[in-house]
């Protein structure tokens, strides 16, 4: 209903709907990208575009979706370059592709992908993580977070591995803030 209401409201309210899809099981040799996307959305979110005449195809045509494709690096290696070719050929919607750098670079070096903008996420340094974890922290939590940060700064590899991504750092802070 929300998507139908947006359409009726006109261009001001016609924002893109973000779709997060995991690429790991996609076989680009067996199924074109758009067909796979439609199948995934129909399976995972069956009512999402059902209220709009033309459904997901209409959303593609009217530039009403943004694709966030995750797990490129988790695809079978023999499928990655074909997948990248198909993703690159999809010009109708904005696409963000996430991958570990090594697996993506293999395919990028084989084609004309120099125009692709890239963002490389680096691991969060212990001192930056400490600043984030302690900002606006409840006074009763500061001592606990100081112990965590001290262990991280001392080289605790398990802790560092768990907290070196912005996502995990944010989840840790939010999870323990509720206590």
């Amino acid at each position: 209903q929300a998507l139908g209401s947006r359409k009726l409201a006109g261009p001001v309210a016609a924002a893109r709907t973000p779709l997060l899809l995991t690429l790991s099981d996609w076989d680009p040799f067996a199924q074109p990208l758009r067909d796979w996307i439609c199948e995934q959305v129909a399976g995972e979110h069956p009512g999402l575009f059902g209220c709009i005449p033309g459904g997901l195809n209409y959303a593609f045509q009217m530039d009403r979706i943004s694709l966030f494709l995750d797990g490129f690096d988790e695809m079978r290696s023999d499928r990655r370059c074909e997948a990248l070719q198909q993703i690159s050929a999809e010009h109708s919607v904005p696409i963000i592709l996430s991958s570990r750098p090594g697996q993506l670079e293999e395919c990028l070096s084989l084609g004309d992908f120099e125009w692709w903008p890239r963002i490389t996420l680096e691991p969060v340094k212990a001192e930056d993580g400490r600043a984030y974890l302690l900002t606006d922290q409840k006074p009763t939590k500061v001592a606990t977070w100081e112990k965590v940060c001290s262990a991280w700064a001392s080289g605790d590899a398990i802790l560092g591995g768990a907290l070196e991504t912005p996502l995990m750092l944010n989840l840790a802070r939010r999870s323990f803030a509720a206590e």
Side-chain angles (χ1 to χ4, degrees):
Q1 289 177 346
L3 292 175
S5 297
R6 255 202 240 173
K7 181 181 175 221
L8 295 174
V12 173
R16 290 187 179 110
T17 300
L19 297 176
L20 173 62
L21 302 171
T22 303
L23 292 167
S24 58
D25 294 329
W26 175 39
D27 181 353
F29 294 107
Q31 191 173 32
L33 177 63
R34 185 150 327 168
D35 292 349
W36 175 79
I37 291 168
C38 290
E39 181 179 283
Q40 295 300 302
V41 171
E44 294 178 24
H45 311 286
L48 188 58
F49 292 97
C51 62
I52 298 175
L56 186 56
N57 284 322
Y58 174 81
F60 266 104
Q61 292 168 356
M62 300 308 292
D63 192 23
R64 295 294 187 253
I65 61 172
S66 295
L67 294 174
F68 295 82
L69 304 177
D70 186 33
F72 180 80
D73 52 298
E74 296 168 5
M75 293 182 79
R76 284 185 20 191
S77 60
D78 61 326
R79 295 178 178 172
R80 286 189 202 124
C81 292
E82 175 61 25
L84 191 60
Q85 290 288 344
Q86 289 191 38
I87 292 166
S88 181
E90 180 58 67
H91 298 290
S92 63
V93 297
I95 297 175
I96 294 178
L97 176 67
S98 71
S99 175
R100 289 179 179 87
Q103 291 80 355
L104 182 60
E105 292 302 322
E106 279 177 22
C107 293
L108 289 175
S109 67
L110 300 176
D112 181 25
F113 301 107
E114 293 305 315
W115 56 271
W116 273 41
R118 294 181 191 83
I119 297 172
T120 302
L121 298 179
E122 299 291 334
V124 176
K125 296 176 185 165
E127 60 270 15
D128 295 331
R130 179 185 181 280
Y132 175 74
L133 289 171
L134 294 177
T135 299
D136 298 327
Q137 198 56 254
K138 294 177 184 175
T140 57
K141 303 279 186 178
V142 171
T144 302
W145 281 120
E146 284 287 5
K147 288 179 188 175
V148 169
C149 294
S150 177
W152 185 5
S154 297
D156 185 318
I158 294 172
L159 186 59
L163 295 177
E164 70 182 2
T165 66
L167 173 64
M168 294 306 292
L169 198 57
N170 185 37
L171 287 173
R173 181 177 167 174
R174 287 177 175 253
S175 295
F176 292 103
E179 288 184 356

